Structures are given as C-alpha cells and as structure tokens.
Amino acid sequence: AIQLTQSPSSLSASVGDRVTITCRASQGISSALAWYQQKPGKAPKLLIYDASSLESGVPSRFSGTGSGTDFTLTISSLQPEDFAIYHCQQFDIYPLTFGGGTIVEIK
Amino acid sequence: QVQLQESGPGLVKPSQTLSLTCTVSGGSISSGEYYWTWIRQPPGKGLEWIGYIHYSGSTYHNPSLKSGVFMSVDTSKNQFSLKLSSVTAADTAVYYCARDVVISGINYNWFDLWGQGTLVTVSS
C-alpha cells in the first residue's frame, strides 16, 4: 500500500500566519491527492482534490500544489476557524490511504 | 441537501460481528452513479479506508483489514451497511460513511460528503 507521510505532525501558529503542510507519498501518485480538514469531534471536510483543485465553498486562502510524490497544503493567512487537523489522502492506487494528520494549534 | 447518518451498536464483544448502517437522506442512494464508502478512525489515530459499495451491489474493500468485511446496500431503504466479523480491540474506532465523488461514471475516490461518525468500542 502507498504510505503518505505528513510533516510536521503538529505545528503552532498565530492568526494571520502563512502555514504550509507537506505530504510525501512512498511512490508516485500523479496528482491523485486530496486534503481534508477535521475539527474535534467532527467528520473530515474536503478542501482540495486533484492536488490543487479547491472544493466548492472552501475559502481561497487554502491552496494545494504538487504532483508525483511531494505535495503541499498552504493556508495563506490563518484564521481562528482554521485550527484543526489536516489529512492528505491518495486515490491513485487501491487501497486508498491517508496520511497520519497534521495538528494546527494556536500559538 | 444530501446527508449521511451512521447507526449501530456502540459496543461489540471481541470475536463477534460489528454491524453498522448508513442512511442517506435528501437524495436517492441509486442516483448519480455514486459509490458509498466506509472509513474508520481509531481514537487519536489517522483515517483508514475500509471499502466502498455501489448501489448495484458491487464492492471493493481494503485487503489489509484483518477482520472479515461484508458490505451491502438496500435501495428501498436508501441505506448501505457494513459488517466486520471476528472483531478485536484493534477495530475500536469512530466509523464514518462517506460519498465518493463520481464524474461521468468514473469513481474518483475522494470524499465530498461524510456522516458525523459513530464510535464503536470492542470490549468484553
């Protein structure tokens, strides 16, 4: 199975900061990557698909880049509602797999 | 709008079968050629894909799961279900049902709609 490694596993940031999370795949997956946001006690919410396509209704401060094995999720200006856990997911090869998650905390 | 809701026992004994149902409301489970997925998240851990089912009944599941996986769909009730047999403590998790994104008949395998999740604990 393809392994996805997210880094960092957690980070502390302030409102207004630019935040970047990376996701590295154990083998190339083209652009078959999605990003989700999960708040405590809630289900994940789709943010980005196809590595860089913004899901409808998601604020434009979220963006995704990458292809092959290296991907990034960037939040251009962190807002209070963005403090959450972020997960990447590959959909290139079965079984579908997720990264371990990145916790974004308030500094 | 379409909503998903998981239901089932919150406590299952080891070696028994875990059974969950996801009810689709606000839309038909058999419209849009959607695939319907189960995902779980052990406490404090990452997400694990379990498998999907199409309203036609075709399924595919994660071969790495040690517990036996069976999925079914009931279009008359607008529901799909998951059974995991011979469960152990490692199957303790929040279980989510979700909808796969399908475009022009192709299942792209990312998830645009999720249920709220239900915690299932495996313990004697």
Side-chain angles (χ1 to χ4, degrees), chain B residues 38-40 48-51 60-62 65 69 82 84 95:
Chain B
W38 290 98
I39 294 164
R40 68 182 182 182
E48 182 178 34
W49 176 73
I50 298 172
Y60 187 81
H61 72 266
N62 191 335
L65 290 176
V69 177
L82 170 70
L84 290 183
Y95 285 76

Side-chain angles (χ1 to χ4, degrees), chain A residues 33-34 36 38 41-46 48-50 55 85 87-91 94-101, chain B residues 37 39 41 45-49 52 60 62-64 96 100-101 103 107-112 114-117:
Chain A
L33 191 95
Y36 301 86
Q38 185 178 28
K42 300 294 186 183
K45 171 190 172 184
L46 177 66
I48 302 281
Y49 60 92
D50 273 349
E55 172 71 349
I85 301 174
H87 306 272
C88 59
Q89 177 233 332
Q90 67 82 18
F91 50 90
Y94 290 115
L96 310 179
T97 50
F98 292 85
Chain B
T37 280
I39 294 164
Q41 185 173 33
K45 296 187 178 181
L47 298 159
E48 182 178 34
W49 176 73
Y52 69 64
Y60 187 81
N62 191 335
S64 69
Y96 296 100
D100 290 35
V101 169
I103 303 171
N107 183 3
Y108 281 89
N109 288 134
W110 69 79
F111 315 111
D112 67 340
W114 296 64
Q116 66 182 31

Side-chain angles (χ1 to χ4, degrees), chain A residues 66-87:
Chain A
S67 67
T69 60
D70 294 309
F71 302 86
T72 60
L73 172 70
T74 299
I75 309 171
S76 60
S77 177
L78 199 65
Q79 298 302 301
E81 61 268 30
D82 300 337
F83 293 94
I85 301 174
Y86 293 85
H87 306 272

